[in-house]
Amino acid sequence: MPSITTLSNYANSLERLITILNELREKCPWDKKQTLQSLRPQSIEELYELTDAIDQQNWNAIKEELGDVLLHLLFYAKIATEENQFTFGDVIQNVCDKLVFRHPHIYSNLQLEHEDAVKKNWEQLKLKEGKASVLEGVPKGLPALIKALRIQEKAKQVGFEWENINQVKAKVLEEFRELEEALEHKSQGAVEEEMGDLFFALINYARFAKVDPEKALESCNQKFIRRFQYLEQKAKSLNKSLESMSLLEMDDYWEQAKELEKK
C-alpha cells in the first residue's frame, strides 16, 4: 500500500499537470482549439506508441507514453468540465465504484477461485448494469483482429464455446475448404466472406492454443521486416536492385537471414 508521502507526491504531480493543462487551454492557440473529435485520432496514435514501447520493453519510452496518454485523459475531462458534463474527479469516482462492484470476490463474501470464474462473473455483473448484450462492451472501432478475439472471449463467458481444440481445428479446415470452393467459383463476394470466416476460425484456434494472435502476427511482421531488410542490404552490397535479382537469388539470401537469426 502506498505511503502517505507517496500519495502526497502523486497528488502534487497531478495537480501540477492539471495546472499546466489549464494554462495551455487558456493561453495556447493550439490547445484552445482542441475538441473531443480533434483529440480522438491523436489519442489512438498515443496508444499505439505506448504499445510499441511495451513490445520493445523500453521502460523509459513506456514512462513517456503513459504520460502522454494521461495528458489526453485529463484533456477529455477538461473539455467535459467546460461543457458542464462531468469532472476528472467524477471519472475517478466512477471507475472506483465500478471496480468495487465488479470484484465482489474481493469486496464482499462471494467466493471465486479461478480466473475463468472471475471473468464469467464480470460479464454477468455488466449485464446487471444495463448492458443489453455481452458483446456490447466490444468497441466498434477496434481493429478487426483484436475485435474478433474480444468477441470470442466474451461469448465464452456465457458458455458459447467449443469443447476442445480439435473441434476448432476441424472448423478451421472446414472454412479453408469453403474458401477454396469460393475461389474455384470465382465469386469475389463469397471469397471475401469465406476468408473472413477462416480468419475468425484461426483466431479461435490461436486462443485455444493459448497464443495471442495479435502478438503472434506482429512478431511475424517484425521477422519478415528483418529478413527483407537483410535481403535489401545484400543487394546493395552487390550494387544490385531487388528488381534485377532473380527470385532464386532472393530466396538464397532469405535463407541466409533465417540462418543468422538461428545463431
Side-chain angles (χ1 to χ4, degrees):
M1 183 175 180
S3 67
I4 294 176
T5 301
T6 302
L7 290 173
S8 177
N9 290 338
Y10 287 162
N12 290 336
S13 297
L14 185 58
E15 184 177 356
R16 181 185 178 213
L17 179 57
I18 292 173
T19 299
I20 291 171
L21 177 58
N22 289 339
E23 291 172 346
L24 294 176
R25 184 67 169 167
E26 181 182 348
K27 301 175 182 178
C28 174
W30 185 89
D31 289 278
K32 289 166 69 173
K33 290 177 59 178
Q34 297 313 303
T35 65
L36 296 178
Q37 291 72 26
S38 68
L39 285 173
R40 180 181 178 276
Q42 297 170 48
S43 299
I44 294 172
E45 182 179 341
E46 294 295 351
L47 285 171
Y48 275 112
E49 289 178 357
L50 174 59
T51 59
D52 284 346
I54 292 171
D55 288 342
Q56 296 163 16
Q57 291 189 309
N58 185 331
W59 289 102
N60 283 332
I62 291 172
K63 177 177 66 176
E64 179 179 349
E65 299 306 335
L66 283 172
D68 292 342
V69 171
L70 175 58
L71 175 60
H72 276 243
L73 297 179
L74 286 168
F75 212 145
Y76 287 122
K78 171 68 176 172
I79 295 172
T81 302
E82 293 170 354
E83 297 292 330
N84 295 315
Q85 296 296 324
F86 56 81
T87 67
F88 189 62
D90 295 330
V91 173
I92 295 173
Q93 189 61 46
N94 185 72
V95 72
C96 288
D97 291 343
K98 182 165 64 175
L99 286 171
V100 170
F101 177 73
R102 293 185 184 177
H103 290 80
H105 53 295
I106 305 297
Y107 298 103
S108 72
N109 297 325
L110 183 66
Q111 299 294 316
L112 297 174
E113 297 181 357
H114 52 80
E115 180 185 357
D116 285 344
V118 172
K119 288 182 178 179
K120 185 174 182 179
N121 189 64
W122 178 282
E123 296 300 339
Q124 290 171 347
L125 289 171
K126 287 173 71 174
L127 289 175
K128 288 182 180 179
E129 292 173 350
K131 297 285 192 297
S133 166
V134 294
L135 303 181
E136 199 172 293
V138 180
K140 294 179 181 179
L142 275 181
L145 191 153
I146 300 174
K147 185 188 289 186
L149 180 62
R150 295 294 293 128
I151 288 170
Q152 293 169 8
E153 289 174 340
K154 286 183 173 292
K156 173 187 176 182
Q157 301 310 319
V158 294
F160 194 77
E161 176 74 309
W162 297 100
E163 293 179 358
N164 58 66
I165 194 170
N166 289 328
Q167 292 174 324
V168 186
K169 178 182 178 181
K171 185 63 176 176
V172 170
L173 295 175
E174 174 190 327
E175 297 297 352
F176 187 75
R177 287 193 296 270
E178 290 179 0
L179 173 60
E180 287 185 314
E181 291 173 7
L183 285 165
E184 288 176 4
H185 289 92
K186 298 182 179 179
S187 170
Q188 192 59 34
V191 168
E192 184 174 324
E193 180 179 349
E194 297 303 338
M195 188 71 77
D197 290 346
L198 178 58
F199 286 152
F200 196 85
L202 283 170
I203 292 167
N204 229 340
Y205 195 49
R207 188 169 57 85
F208 267 77
K210 301 188 185 307
V211 170
D212 180 340
E214 173 72 18
K215 183 178 179 182
L217 182 57
E218 179 56 21
S219 177
C220 180
N221 288 340
Q222 294 303 318
K223 180 170 62 178
F224 185 93
I225 289 171
R226 288 194 306 271
R227 293 175 182 177
F228 192 82
Q229 288 178 340
Y230 177 84
L231 196 159
E232 289 177 315
Q233 291 167 5
K234 277 294 182 181
K236 187 176 180 179
S237 70
L238 297 170
N239 293 318
K240 289 185 175 182
S241 66
L242 291 181
E243 293 83 355
S244 67
M245 295 175 69
S246 69
L247 186 57
L248 183 60
E249 283 181 285
M250 288 191 284
D251 191 55
D252 284 340
Y253 292 126
W254 187 271
E255 291 300 321
Q256 284 183 24
K258 289 171 64 175
E259 290 301 318
L260 285 172
E261 285 182 355
K262 291 179 183 178
K263 295 176 181 178

